Amino acid sequence: MIVKNVVKKVVETGLAGMLLIPIAIAGERNIKNTPGADTSSMRRASVSITVRKGFLVLAAGQIGGMRGKQNFVVDTGTSPSILNARFAKRMGLEVTAGVLLAAGRAVEVRQAVVPELELGPVQVTGLRMNVMDLSQWERDLGTEIAALIGMDVLGQTNFRLDYEKKELDFGGEAEEGIAVEYDGVSGLVLADATLQGRQVKLIVDTGSDLVVVYGGNWEGEKKEARGGKSVAGRETAREIEKAVTVLGGKSFSGSRTYCIPSGKGAGYDGFVGVRALKLRGVSFDRERQTMYLLN
C-alpha cells in the first residue's frame, strides 16, 4: 500500500467557480507508469474534445462496458481517477469505504474497481477509482459526467492536449516546452515554482483556471475572506492581488490567485491551472516522465 495524492475539486460558488481540495489516499497502485516502459504497441490516435468555461476539457470514452460513449473530464490534477457515484450504481459495482486526507482532515471516501475503461487508444482493466458525487459538476457544465480522468490513466502513453486546436492526441513524439517532472509516487505532475517570491511546489492542473496555494501571509493577500463548502467541510480563501508566478524561468502575471490559510497539501503547496497561465496546452513524455507546458 502506498499513499496517493489527488486533487478532488468541488464547485466553490463563493469563489466564482473555484475548484479545490487536495486529497491524499491510501491505496494500491493499479496502473504502473514507470520510466522506460514499452509503449511502442500503443497506436496513435486523436480524440475530439470540447472545452468548457475556457479550461475544462471534455472527451468521450467508454467505461465499464456501458453502451455508447460517456463524457470524461480530462484532469491532470487528479490521481487516481474519480468515478461518478451514479455511474458506479448503474454498473452495479461493489463500493468500499476508505479514508482520505483533505485539507489536513480525515474524510471518508468510497472506492470501486472498474472492469474496463477506454479513452482513445488507452485501454485499462481493473482500474481502482475513487467514487464521488459529481452532480454539482454536471449542473455547472450542463452535461452528464461519467468520470474525472487523471494521470493514472492519461500517463499510459505520450499525449498532447492543445486548447487552441481543441485536440487531445495520444502516441507520437512529445512536443517540448517548459519541462516539469512527473512524480511517480504521488501520480501527479509537480512544478517547482515561486509565487510572490516564495518557493512552492504546485500540481499542474488542467481541471482549474486558478492558481491556489495553501497557507497564509502572502504578499498582496487580501484581508477579506470568502468561504464555501468542500469535501473537507467549510473552507476559507483569500485573493492574492498582483500575484506573480515564476515557472521554468518564465514570469506569469494576471492569473486569478488565491490562498487557503488553513489548507495543507501532502508533498505539494497548491495547484496551478494550465489556463490560469494562459498556456496553449501540455504535452507528456512517458519515457522521460516529463510534462511540457506549451506557450
Side-chain angles (χ1 to χ4, degrees), residues 5 19 25 39-40 47-48 55 83 87 102 131 177 179 216 227 284 290 293:
N5 298 303
L19 307 175
I25 182 166
T39 58
S40 59
V47 177
S48 298
F55 71 97
L83 176 66
F87 278 76
V131 178
F284 182 69
T290 299
L293 309 183

Side-chain angles (χ1 to χ4, degrees), residues 117-152:
L117 183 147
E118 181 177 333
L119 177 60
V122 180
Q123 298 179 342
V124 183
T125 58
L127 178 66
R128 184 175 296 278
M129 303 177 72
N130 283 342
V131 178
M132 295 184 177
D133 180 7
L134 300 182
S135 59
Q136 182 63 66
W137 281 72
E138 294 176 312
R139 287 191 291 270
D140 191 54
L141 295 175
T143 190
E144 191 172 56
I145 301 296
L148 309 185
I149 303 300
M151 286 300 295
D152 55 337

Side-chain angles (χ1 to χ4, degrees), residues 9 22 37 39 51 70 85-86 110 160 200 224-225 229 245 256 276-277 291 295:
K9 307 170 188 76
T39 58
V51 180
Q70 294 82 44
R86 191 173 66 257
R110 295 174 295 166
R160 180 179 60 86
V200 290
E224 176 189 0
K229 184 181 292 186
T245 303
R256 290 190 298 156
L277 304 184
M291 179 170 283
N295 285 313

Side-chain angles (χ1 to χ4, degrees), residues 31-45 121-123 153-159 170-174 284-289:
I31 294 180
K32 293 182 180 179
N33 190 9
T34 56
D38 180 20
T39 58
S40 59
S41 61
M42 183 80 72
R43 65 183 176 86
R44 298 183 182 185
V122 180
Q123 298 179 342
V153 174
L154 297 170
Q156 288 301 290
T157 184
N158 290 1
F159 72 87
F170 291 98
E173 298 295 325
F284 182 69
D285 189 315
R286 187 180 194 275
E287 183 175 359
R288 296 180 182 177
Q289 296 287 277

Side-chain angles (χ1 to χ4, degrees), residues 245-268:
T245 303
V246 179
L247 200 164
K250 295 184 180 294
S251 182
F252 300 89
S253 59
S255 303
R256 290 190 298 156
T257 305
Y258 294 87
C259 68
I260 305 176
S262 63
K264 184 179 180 181
Y268 51 88

